[in-house]
Amino acid sequence: MADDLTIVAENACFGGRHLRVKHRAATVACDMTFAVYLPPAAAVEGARVPVLYWLSGLTCTDENFMQKAGALRLAAELGLAIVAPDTSPRGPDVPGDPDGAWDFGHGAGFYVDATEEPYATHYRMHDYVVHELPAVVEANFPVSDKRSVAGHSMGGHGALVCALRNPGRYRSVSAFAPIVNPSAVPWGEKAFSRYLGPDRSTWRAWDACALLEMATERLPLLVDQGEADSFLGKQLQPDALRTAAEAAGHPLTLRMQPGYDHSYFFIATFIDDHLRHAAAALEA
């Protein structure tokens, strides 16, 4: 392992290993912490296992998914590594929301590459997630360059955008309750206006509904959305994704789940389907 990586914590789990790793990230100009689960198959000499990159939602860190989603038992069986980055750059030199709000700044990087000051130096989470982090993981752990991406809420937006902007980079993509049309909802408007500036035409490059119009790859999209989600109508608007996918002829499985909310209880209920969705594509 490279000298600039520090193991913050390590735990045995379902015959594999869960690690939290700290490193200096050039793209976001600060220290970052990510979690990686290595299944038992990764311990076989010469093995390199495929990876699912999980992008979490607002206020989360690398820890939420690994501890709450209940994903590691099946990941161990499938021989699938999982990597979970933080949701934003952090530290005393990293600007957050000037009013201390929870939906912007620290914990709310929105997986874009900011162009506006004072955020442009640090808030380059797209570049970090798509390029720097996989390079670090693939150079230091027994994993391959076979990648899938998935996420929740803000991270669901991130997963869709990462896949749609980078054809050929991922074998599959899926999301729980994603922000599918951030250019047209309050969370996205707040974040994009500050990270990307007032010109809404530039926002389209970070909006899944807009990106579907120009997509050159047809990775099937798997999306689960709880019908009891308190953010459903105002922030998430899955029907906009359905409309955009139908217009573009893009394959989409959108499953509306009665009674389920925005929490990790929802994610834990359906995570196995998303792991199998990724594993099937990674094995192909």
Side-chain angles (χ1 to χ4, degrees):
M1 185 176 296
D3 292 340
D4 59 345
L5 269 63
T6 302
I7 303 298
V8 177
E10 182 172 359
N11 306 91
C13 188
F14 298 114
R17 294 188 298 148
H18 170 269
L19 304 97
R20 295 189 73 217
V21 183
K22 184 177 181 180
H23 73 123
R24 186 70 180 179
T27 49
V28 292
C30 68
D31 290 340
M32 293 290 285
T33 300
F34 65 89
V36 56
Y37 177 69
L38 298 172
V44 177
E45 185 174 357
R48 299 190 73 81
V49 299
V51 185
L52 172 65
Y53 287 85
W54 174 268
L55 308 183
S56 291
L58 289 163
T59 76
C60 291
T61 69
D62 63 282
E63 296 182 281
N64 298 73
F65 178 81
M66 294 297 197
Q67 295 184 15
K68 295 181 178 181
L72 303 188
R73 182 190 296 273
L74 184 56
E77 295 176 10
L78 295 171
L80 182 63
I82 301 177
V83 172
D86 202 345
T87 51
S88 78
R90 299 181 194 263
D93 297 329
V94 177
D97 188 287
D99 300 317
W102 59 271
D103 58 355
F104 181 80
H106 297 168
F110 271 83
Y111 304 102
V112 301
D113 289 342
T115 56
E116 299 297 298
E117 298 298 344
Y119 304 106
T121 298
H122 297 286
Y123 285 84
R124 300 189 58 80
M125 286 297 294
H126 182 81
D127 195 3
Y128 175 70
V129 165
V130 173
H131 298 292
E132 183 173 8
L133 180 61
V136 168
V137 171
E138 290 163 20
N140 290 280
F141 298 97
V143 304
S144 73
D145 60 0
K146 294 181 178 180
R147 313 175 195 93
S148 288
V149 64
H152 171 228
S153 194
M154 177 187 72
H157 142 75
L160 295 174
V161 168
C162 285
L164 290 167
R165 283 176 59 98
N166 297 278
R169 186 78 174 164
Y170 302 100
R171 301 290 184 92
S172 75
V173 57
S174 67
F176 288 84
I179 306 170
V180 301
N181 194 193
S183 298
V185 300
W187 277 341
E189 290 177 322
K190 178 178 180 178
F192 284 12
S193 63
R194 297 184 183 186
Y195 291 140
L196 305 173
D199 182 357
R200 286 176 174 260
S201 67
T202 66
W203 300 3
R204 291 176 55 81
W206 305 99
D207 186 303
C209 287
L211 288 167
L212 280 172
E213 297 177 15
M214 59 193 85
T216 59
E217 186 178 43
R218 288 291 184 260
L219 280 184
L221 309 181
L222 171 61
V223 175
D224 274 308
Q225 173 63 61
E227 290 186 352
D229 191 323
S230 61
F231 302 116
L232 178 57
K234 188 174 182 179
Q235 304 283 9
L236 305 177
Q237 301 183 358
D239 284 343
L241 185 68
R242 190 197 308 275
T243 299
E246 289 176 351
H250 198 104
L252 167 67
T253 300
L254 173 59
R255 308 192 305 186
M256 300 300 296
Q257 304 291 3
Y260 286 91
D261 59 17
H262 201 70
S263 72
Y264 267 86
F265 295 106
F266 164 52
I267 294 171
T269 302
F270 299 104
I271 190 61
D272 284 6
D273 292 345
H274 290 247
L275 294 178
R276 294 188 188 281
H277 172 75
L282 290 163
E283 290 171 2

